[in-house]
Amino acid sequence: MNVGELVLFVKENYKSYIVFCSLVLISVVVFLPVWASLISAWAGSDDYSHGFLIVPLALYIVWQKRRDLRAIECHSNWIAFPLVVLSLLLYLIGQFGEIKTLASLAMVGYVAAAVLYLLGWQVFKGSIFPLALLLFMIPVPGQIYASLTIPLQLFVTKMTAAIVSALHIPILREGNVLHLPEYTLQVVDACSGLRSIMSLLTLGAVIGYFGLKSNPLRWLLFVSAIPVAVFVNIVRVLAMVLAFYYFDKDLTHGAVHTYFGVGVFVLAVLIFLAIRKGLSLCEK
């Protein structure tokens, strides 16, 4: 599209753009408290720091699909209007009830319902992935996080203790605590694998979308993030135990611990990419 065509396009569609931009501006103002809460959560926790990338990534995907979306004839879908109203009501309940997760979900629901209402089913269908991707920017509620963390902690601890025992290293497990001669290691929340699961689920959704064409294979890659995250965290705890037992090196503190954690996450990503490569061969 050259400059002349662009000017003509804007002249023909400027009213629609004014309405659209007005709705976007109103939505930003209305949901400003939610954005403030989300940004605070992303900045305050390593578990959700990937949230900063979600909206730009969703917008980039929409931009990539712009030609296909522009070719779709838009029709307002009045059936979706009740969903817009319901989303706003849930948002008000979440805000006044100080239920941050509900308010955040209502905001995403409002965006999805507004697209369906204003642009129609076909545009909504073509935009469903970037819309769904917005859910990954919402922190998991504390109660759910705690209920998932404890079982994962115990599983990682049990598996590590079993492997260490198989190597004929004396070890005693008490809950999520491992006792070695002259050394005690507690498997904390960060070693449960839940942090890696949240990041890898997001990564799996994005890599699957761009790297695979089959929806079942995309779902398989997405779900594979769970065992991969748990596996690499077992490797992480096992490496800490072996490092102390054989080399008298403590990997649980300081910069070494940080670099070690980054290395483990890189290992998870490499395994994840290998799975993606294997699944892509199934499409040929």
Side-chain angles (χ1 to χ4, degrees), residues 4-234:
E5 291 175 337
L6 179 61
V7 171
L8 181 61
F9 179 80
V10 171
K11 285 183 178 179
E12 293 176 348
N13 297 274
Y14 75 96
K15 291 183 179 179
S16 298
Y17 275 97
I18 291 174
V19 173
F20 177 77
C21 292
S22 300
L23 289 172
V24 170
L25 181 61
I26 292 170
S27 299
V28 169
V29 173
V30 169
F31 293 111
L32 194 59
V34 176
W35 286 114
S37 176
L38 287 174
I39 291 172
S40 177
W42 302 339
S45 173
D46 291 339
D47 297 1
Y48 301 108
S49 57
H50 63 270
F52 286 106
L53 302 175
I54 297 300
V55 173
L57 185 58
L59 292 175
Y60 171 73
I61 293 172
V62 172
W63 175 255
Q64 268 207 327
K65 295 169 65 70
R66 66 189 183 282
R67 290 185 177 85
D68 295 334
L69 294 175
R70 192 184 297 161
I72 299 173
E73 187 175 353
C74 299
H75 295 284
S76 297
N77 190 334
W78 285 91
I79 297 176
F81 183 73
L83 296 177
V84 175
V85 176
L86 177 61
S87 299
L88 291 174
L89 289 175
L90 290 176
Y91 169 70
L92 292 175
I93 294 172
Q95 277 299 104
F96 288 108
E98 296 185 357
I99 309 173
K100 294 181 179 180
T101 303
L102 178 60
S104 300
L105 289 172
M107 180 183 68
V108 175
Y110 168 81
V111 174
V115 170
L116 180 58
Y117 168 59
L118 294 173
L119 303 177
W121 169 252
Q122 292 300 323
V123 175
F124 173 79
K125 184 179 178 182
S127 308
I128 196 165
F129 179 76
L131 290 172
L133 192 64
L134 296 177
L135 295 173
F136 289 100
M137 69 182 181
I138 302 175
V140 177
Q143 299 88 337
I144 297 177
Y145 191 96
S147 65
L148 293 175
T149 297
I150 294 173
L152 284 172
Q153 278 180 297
L154 292 175
F155 179 76
V156 169
T157 309
K158 287 179 181 178
M159 292 301 297
T160 302
I163 296 171
V164 172
S165 296
L167 296 173
H168 304 292
I169 297 174
I171 189 169
L172 174 65
R173 183 183 70 85
E174 290 183 339
N176 65 325
V177 179
L178 297 172
H179 297 281
L180 289 165
E182 302 180 0
Y183 182 70
T184 298
L185 174 66
Q186 181 180 7
V187 180
V188 296
D189 294 356
C191 295
S192 66
L194 190 57
R195 177 182 299 178
S196 300
I197 287 174
M198 300 306 300
S199 301
L200 287 177
L201 282 175
T202 305
L203 188 63
V206 174
I207 292 177
Y209 176 79
F210 285 108
L212 297 170
K213 298 178 181 179
S214 168
N215 285 331
L217 292 180
R218 286 173 173 171
W219 276 105
L220 185 58
L221 180 66
F222 177 72
V223 174
S224 70
I226 298 174
V228 169
V230 174
F231 171 75
V232 296
N233 276 278
I234 292 173

